[in-house]
């Protein structure tokens, strides 16, 4: 079973559910959850869509695969639950934020405050088998999330697409670059951050675009959660 799709996204992706690929994906996920631990938990698979309703999306930040270690993934790309140590890619994002917008590095990696301001934190693949990265790759999720990217591209209200790393950059073909802003950089992972993620200044650039478009800027600062 997949959880119900959040109301604002229903008209956008409803057609996908009846397609053969999605039915195959649903069958695959039922089998996986029966045999293995799958992240994120079933009720959190569509957290990114719940937190950022379709009309409110200003920024799409595309990840690839959910975190696969215990208690990390909760349905928002790059984010971890409160109390869980931020993984290396997220720490590199925090370093860039610090250099770019004077961000104070918080005591957590919980990115829900971004999502609530219209940053869609979408992974291309929405589930993963515990401790096995990319185990749900090429099972159908990519077709589903491509339909989300394409639907945002068709929207008249502009969106900033943050595409980090080779995998994300391939999604450019789905986006109308005349209408929207596309910012590309290396992935923030420790393997590639030095090769073009650090110094990309995407966070301040995003806010410049939003300002030009007459939209409210993103407050990137995350609060500390421990007292």
């Amino acid at each position: 079973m997949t959880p119900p799709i959040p109301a604002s996204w229903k008209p956008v992706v409803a057609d996908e559910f009846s397609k053969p690929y999605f039915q195959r994906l649903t069958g695959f996920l039922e089998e996986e959850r029966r045999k293995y631990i799958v992240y994120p938990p079933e009720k959190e698979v569509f957290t990114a869509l719940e937190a950022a309703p379709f009309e409110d999306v200003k920024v799409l930040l595309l990840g690839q695969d959910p975190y696969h270690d215990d208690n990390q993934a909760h349905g928002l790309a790059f984010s971890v639950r409160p109390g869980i140590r931020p993984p290396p890619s997220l720490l590199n994002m925090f370093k860039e934020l610090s250099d770019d917008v004077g961000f104070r590095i918080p005591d957590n990696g919980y990115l829900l405050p971004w999502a609530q301001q219209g940053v869609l934190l979408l992974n291309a693949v929405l589930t993963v088998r515990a401790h096995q990265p990319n185990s749900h790759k090429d099972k159908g999720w990519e077709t589903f999330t491509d339909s989300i990217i394409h639907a945002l591209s068709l929207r008249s209200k502009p969106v900033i697409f943050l595409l980090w790393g080779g995998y994300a950059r391939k999604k450019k073909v789905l986006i109308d670059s005349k209408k929207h802003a596309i910012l590309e950089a290396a992935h923030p992972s420790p393997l590639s951050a030095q090769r073009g993620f650090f110094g990309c200044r995407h966070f301040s650039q995003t806010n410049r675009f939003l300002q030009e478009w007459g939209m409210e800027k993103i407050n990137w600062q995350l609060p500390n959660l421990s007292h």
Side-chain angles (χ1 to χ4, degrees):
M1 278 298 292
T2 42
I5 203 88
S8 77
W9 288 92
K10 256 206 192 100
V12 181
V13 294
D15 288 355
E16 301 301 306
F17 293 130
S18 55
K19 292 180 181 173
Y21 88 85
F22 202 89
Q23 287 161 357
R24 282 194 301 275
L25 172 63
T26 303
F28 165 76
L29 289 171
E30 281 171 7
E31 188 72 1
E32 283 285 288
R33 287 197 190 272
R34 240 197 326 273
K35 291 184 181 164
Y36 308 101
I37 294 170
V38 171
Y39 294 131
E42 196 173 344
K43 65 180 191 309
E44 294 179 336
V45 168
F46 294 133
T47 298
L49 303 182
E50 262 161 47
F54 178 67
E55 277 309 323
D56 296 349
V57 174
K58 300 173 178 176
V59 180
L60 185 145
L61 174 48
L62 189 67
Q64 190 167 348
D65 200 40
Y67 294 130
H68 55 85
D69 281 339
D70 299 338
N71 300 317
Q72 290 180 314
H74 64 103
L76 298 179
F78 295 104
S79 178
V80 285
R81 299 170 189 283
I84 299 294
R85 202 188 146 149
S89 292
L90 185 53
L91 287 175
N92 283 339
M93 286 163 61
F94 287 172
K95 280 181 198 155
E96 176 60 24
L97 275 157
S98 172
D99 291 345
D100 185 17
V101 294
F103 178 88
R104 288 183 320 283
I105 294 177
D107 63 4
N108 67 92
Y110 188 53
L111 304 183
L112 185 66
W114 294 359
Q116 290 168 332
Q117 298 176 75
V119 181
L120 180 61
L121 297 162
L122 185 71
N123 278 315
V125 175
L126 296 186
T127 54
V128 68
R129 193 188 293 175
H131 315 301
Q132 293 189 36
N134 291 316
S135 44
H136 288 185
K137 188 174 176 275
D138 300 330
K139 301 295 182 187
W141 276 131
E142 294 92 338
T143 308
F144 180 73
T145 54
D146 281 359
S147 77
I148 289 173
I149 296 167
H150 184 58
L152 285 167
S153 175
L154 292 174
R155 212 182 65 169
S156 56
K157 194 164 133 190
V159 177
I160 297 140
F161 291 86
L162 302 181
L163 306 181
W164 297 341
Y167 181 87
R169 293 165 90 158
K170 288 191 187 121
K171 305 292 181 180
K172 253 193 337 193
V173 296
L174 302 168
I175 303 162
D176 180 348
S177 59
K178 292 187 196 70
K179 202 180 351 173
H180 305 284
I182 300 172
L183 299 179
E184 298 177 66
H187 195 275
S189 82
L191 299 173
S192 56
Q194 300 288 359
R195 299 200 302 268
F197 176 73
F198 290 135
C200 72
R201 302 279 188 257
H202 279 185
F203 302 100
S204 58
Q205 282 188 61
T206 291
N207 278 344
R208 263 201 302 285
F209 276 115
L210 291 173
Q211 228 169 351
E212 282 168 23
W213 296 340
M215 293 185 204
E216 206 168 318
K217 296 190 295 191
I218 305 296
N219 173 11
W220 296 109
Q221 185 61 56
L222 296 165
N224 283 333
L225 294 177
S226 61
H227 300 299

